[in-house]
Amino acid sequence: MDCHSVQEQLSLYIEGDIPYEEKLRIDNHLKSCRICNESLASMRKTIQLVNNLEDIEPPDWLTQQIMGRVKAEAKPKKGFWKTIFYPLHIKVPIEAAAVVIIAITSVYIFKTMQPETQFAPVPPAEVADTLKIQPHERATQKDKESIQKHITVDTVAKEQGRFSPPLPHQYRAGAPVETVRDEADTGKPEPRAGDLYTEHSAEADSASGVAEYREGQEPSGGSAGEGLPKRGESSSLQMKALPEQENASVLLTVYAEDTGRAGEEIMNAVRQFRGKILGRQTAAGRDMIYAEIDCVNLHEFIEKTKLYGQINEQRPVPEKCEGSIEMRIEISGKS
Amino acid sequence: MKEKPDPSDEDLELVALCRKGDVDAFEALVAKYQKRMFNIAFRMTGNNEDASEIVQDAFVAVYRNIKGFQERAGFSTWLCTIVLNLSRNRLKQIASGRTREAYSLNDPLPSVQGTCNRDIASDNPSVLDTLEKREVQQKVQGCIQSMDGDYRELIILRDVQGFSYREISDMLTIPEGTVKSGLSRARAALRDCLKKVLGDV
């Protein structure tokens, strides 16, 4: 065994971490080799020197420092708001999100507000259109009604679209349309000086079925026309016709065998749908019911009416309406 | 040779408590291991400040990652691995900051109490006996620091801290056989250095 291989194994030899046979061979070699003995001694001394290195005391503050940092790590989890708002990398997204939300909200609010802000500068094309069409429609429809001597139901349309505007020369640009409509709806408009449109609507209402019925007169297109001059507030013939057109939303004729009973049933139906009976008129074998019903229930009500007799819609029942709608229902003997 | 670290049940109990957020349990672990870790870091860097920072960073890192700690390896082994890694990084930083000068016998030795001049050993062996114990220790430390990184770690872990081959193999993720052969060469290198520094070993 040569010195080189022995010296390579001295480290393990000292630690005793070597097979027994190997140890014997090294022992044998060491007996006769001075160099290797010196190497062994110096190796032992080296290890001993290193082993004897004394531990160095860490600074006193080390534990405190470590625990301070560790507790700082642990703490933020407890402070909810701090966790969210304190660190910059979280704060920025929150701010960005806030800005986006505010922007969206503003746009939304602006959009929802728009119709109102555009309200004042009126005469909308829609009104102008209606103005052109109205006279015709009115005439034909009115003629028909009077000729047939069927019901004349006038209902106040709550929808803007169905509302007939005043004649062009009477219409005042810039007049608040909303107000006019509201007053027409209530049926109790307060005539305002200078507001021709409103006045006419008011007259129209009172001139139409409801008012007449209360007076015990037979409601008809003609009577509506008569009402106006009495009050001396309108001079235009065309104006007389207006109200009927605009008010009549539901004109129904129900042909029933037993008119009396059908009348009762329909009255019940109106109440059932939380409608309001405005009046009832029986004359010359005809039964007229004036009622107001919530638009929500309108179609259901009409379906129900069909149970009592054959129905003739004098005017197509509006698909859509808002609020409540007035009806004039005539119950007629079988046609 | 120092006591072997015992990856005892106590450690694992404390670790379990730490995972539940018990800061006191962590403080117990700090108290138990900080001195040893500080010494490893000091032997690696030869510098008090560096060692303090490394130990702090190591414990904070342990606290952050304690939930991911696998009990397969002992807690102290895990902690040591972290300290060694941080020490290596610190040494790399230092090396890139300033070029390390070659070890010279006349260089002032870095020490805890500042620097001191190196005594050149004479041929007279009795001189060794007259040297202050601390000076010898400083020279040994000087030699340890002058060694290659791998050798230095092996000497520190085995001969200074007394870890078992198995533990060292875990920490350095090298086979035990490699630990043994590496250690032989490391010791020979250290012996050569000490011979130069102390004159005779």
Side-chain angles (χ1 to χ4, degrees), chain A residues 196-211:
Chain A
L196 289 172
Y197 185 54
T198 312
E199 279 169 28
H200 289 302
S201 312
E203 284 158 28
D205 263 0
S206 46
S208 68
V210 183

Side-chain angles (χ1 to χ4, degrees), chain B:
Chain B
M1 198 166 289
K2 274 131 203 163
E3 287 273 310
K4 279 173 65 178
D6 51 337
S8 60
D9 293 341
E10 188 197 30
D11 283 0
L12 297 182
E13 280 172 26
L14 289 172
V15 167
L17 287 172
C18 290
R19 282 174 175 164
K20 290 175 189 165
D22 189 341
V23 182
D24 293 337
F26 191 74
E27 189 159 5
L29 286 172
V30 172
K32 186 173 177 182
Y33 286 112
Q34 69 158 345
K35 185 175 177 183
R36 189 168 201 184
M37 296 307 131
F38 178 82
N39 273 277
I40 293 173
F42 177 81
R43 295 296 168 204
M44 288 287 286
T45 61
N47 179 302
N48 249 341
E49 287 72 38
D50 285 341
S52 298
E53 279 186 37
I54 288 166
V55 173
Q56 285 183 52
D57 290 349
F59 274 109
V60 171
V62 163
Y63 185 81
R64 276 183 199 152
N65 298 296
I66 198 137
K67 283 182 181 164
F69 164 62
Q70 292 172 354
E71 293 173 9
R72 184 182 50 79
F75 175 78
S76 61
T77 310
W78 183 48
L79 181 56
C80 265
T81 311
I82 293 172
V83 170
L84 285 173
N85 284 330
L86 291 176
S87 301
R88 285 178 204 139
N89 288 332
R90 180 59 60 105
L91 289 172
K92 235 182 247 172
Q93 272 180 7
I94 293 170
S96 65
R98 55 182 140 93
T99 44
R100 203 181 190 86
E101 287 173 21
Y103 195 80
S104 157
L105 291 184
N106 290 322
D107 277 347
L109 261 175
S111 81
V112 186
Q113 280 79 26
T115 57
C116 62
N117 290 322
R118 188 184 309 282
D119 292 304
I120 306 298
S122 71
D123 289 340
N124 188 350
S126 65
V127 173
L128 181 63
D129 304 326
T130 63
L131 282 174
E132 288 283 334
K133 193 180 176 187
R134 187 190 296 154
E135 285 177 4
V136 174
Q137 300 218 340
Q138 284 166 359
K139 287 175 183 183
V140 174
Q141 170 68 22
C143 274
I144 291 175
Q145 272 180 257
S146 72
M147 297 167 78
D148 281 350
D150 293 346
Y151 287 173
R152 176 168 49 208
E153 284 170 19
L154 287 170
I155 292 289
I156 291 170
L157 292 175
R158 179 65 189 169
D159 291 337
V160 181
Q161 293 297 328
F163 284 106
S164 69
Y165 288 134
R166 175 71 191 277
E167 286 166 323
I168 295 169
S169 150
D170 281 346
M171 287 175 207
L172 303 179
T173 56
I174 52 173
E176 275 187 49
T178 312
V179 174
K180 287 177 188 173
S181 58
L183 191 61
S184 289
R185 287 193 288 274
R187 281 170 174 164
L190 184 62
R191 180 186 59 193
D192 294 345
C193 177
L194 289 175
K195 264 184 186 167
K196 287 179 194 165
V197 175
L198 298 175
D200 194 12
V201 180

Side-chain angles (χ1 to χ4, degrees), chain A residues 304-325:
Chain A
K304 180 125 191 179
T305 325
K306 287 177 182 167
L307 299 176
Y308 310 124
Q310 187 196 336
I311 284 189
N312 181 19
E313 293 178 10
Q314 301 289 332
R315 177 174 303 174
V317 175
E319 283 298 315
K320 290 187 222 164
C321 75
E322 281 173 18
S324 54
I325 190 164

